[in-house]
Amino acid sequence: MITMRGESERTFTPKGWATRQRIIEAASRLILENGLEAATLEEIQAAAGASASQLYHYFEDKSELLRAVIEHQTDSVLGTHRVILERLDSFEALEEWRDMVVSMLDAQNCVGGCPLGSLASGLAESDARARTALAESFERWQDLLREGLETMRQRGELRDDANVGDLSTSVLAAVQGGLLLSQTRRDSASVRVALDASIAYLRTLRPERALGHAGTATRVGG
């Protein structure tokens, strides 16, 4: 038996858990490919090979299913980015992450953009619980960036007064905005330019000893 803890504790057999995951994956795929409005419960049932009774056995309504989709996509997206961001400690690692983001977008021909960004666009104003779940997802992503930038600061890659909280917000906003423009334009140049600009700004916050020359520093953040 598999126990799921969250809003309400529920227990599933391995077969039941597999069915539930199949429904979530089908819903995630349809939403990413066709958008929220087009991904009806009937289409999700058909794609998952599940009956209406099965769907409502595992999810009280579409809103609960969407929150499960958010959790699934969060684990998927952050699982990919975590590979590099958990060892983020230098500008070289930042550039490696940038290259990974661009390569992933190119591999999908810029279709779909960021799954979390797409979900936020469709749900933030219509489903308060989904918006809260997505805010937590973006916070988890920002935590990875914040921790990496803090490691850079401790290693002397960034000035001691660099506000890594504000900087991680800026980098996350850059990647999200860049992904949206790249999706719309079907060209990964936008996300590359956005991240290049973020990295270039971070380089201005290197200590004078790292820059190799003296200069006047400006304080970052509050």
Side-chain angles (χ1 to χ4, degrees):
M1 303 293 283
I2 300 172
T3 300
M4 182 186 73
R5 292 178 172 83
E7 297 171 3
S8 59
E9 187 171 304
R10 301 170 69 183
T11 301
F12 303 101
T13 64
K15 183 178 180 180
W17 181 259
T19 300
R20 182 180 184 276
Q21 290 301 109
R22 191 169 70 248
I23 293 170
I24 294 170
E25 289 168 6
S28 299
R29 184 175 63 255
L30 286 174
I31 290 169
L32 191 62
E33 293 174 353
N34 304 324
L36 277 167
E37 294 301 322
T40 64
L41 290 177
E42 291 75 17
E43 288 188 332
I44 292 170
Q45 288 170 216
S51 65
S53 61
Q54 284 179 309
L55 192 149
Y56 285 106
H57 173 70
Y58 297 111
F59 307 98
E60 291 183 358
D61 51 26
K62 189 174 182 179
S63 182
E64 184 180 352
L65 173 57
L66 288 174
R67 292 195 298 278
V69 167
I70 290 169
E71 182 179 2
H72 172 76
Q73 293 288 33
T74 299
D75 289 343
S76 177
V77 170
L78 298 192
T80 300
H81 288 263
R82 184 176 286 112
V83 172
I84 294 177
L85 292 182
E86 282 193 337
R87 54 183 176 80
L88 177 60
D89 61 0
S90 65
F91 284 97
E92 289 75 19
L94 265 177
E95 290 167 349
E96 183 183 354
W97 175 63
R98 173 208 59 201
D99 291 343
M100 182 199 76
V101 172
V102 174
S103 295
M104 288 174 57
L105 203 57
D106 282 335
Q108 62 194 50
N109 298 314
C110 297
V111 175
C114 173
L116 297 180
S118 296
L119 287 166
S121 177
L123 292 170
E125 303 304 330
S126 62
D127 188 325
R129 296 174 78 180
R131 183 191 61 77
T132 298
L134 283 160
E136 292 172 354
S137 298
F138 283 119
E139 185 64 30
R140 287 172 58 190
W141 195 342
Q142 185 174 341
D143 283 343
L144 289 172
L145 289 164
R146 184 188 299 112
E147 290 165 7
L149 293 175
E150 174 61 20
T151 299
M152 290 177 64
R153 193 180 68 82
Q154 291 178 1
R155 294 184 72 242
E157 295 279 347
L158 296 172
R159 295 201 317 253
D160 288 341
D161 64 347
N163 187 324
V164 295
D166 288 353
L167 292 171
S168 61
T169 296
S170 176
V171 175
L172 182 57
V175 72
Q176 282 299 307
L179 286 169
L180 177 59
L181 284 176
S182 290
Q183 176 188 6
T184 305
R185 294 170 171 170
R186 292 294 192 259
D187 186 345
S188 63
S190 293
V191 73
R192 176 177 284 279
V193 168
L195 288 176
D196 279 348
S198 287
I199 294 171
Y201 176 68
L202 288 171
R203 287 187 182 280
T204 70
L205 305 179
R206 300 179 73 187
E208 291 180 6
R209 63 180 180 277
L211 291 171
H213 61 80
T216 303
T218 57
R219 188 173 183 82
V220 183

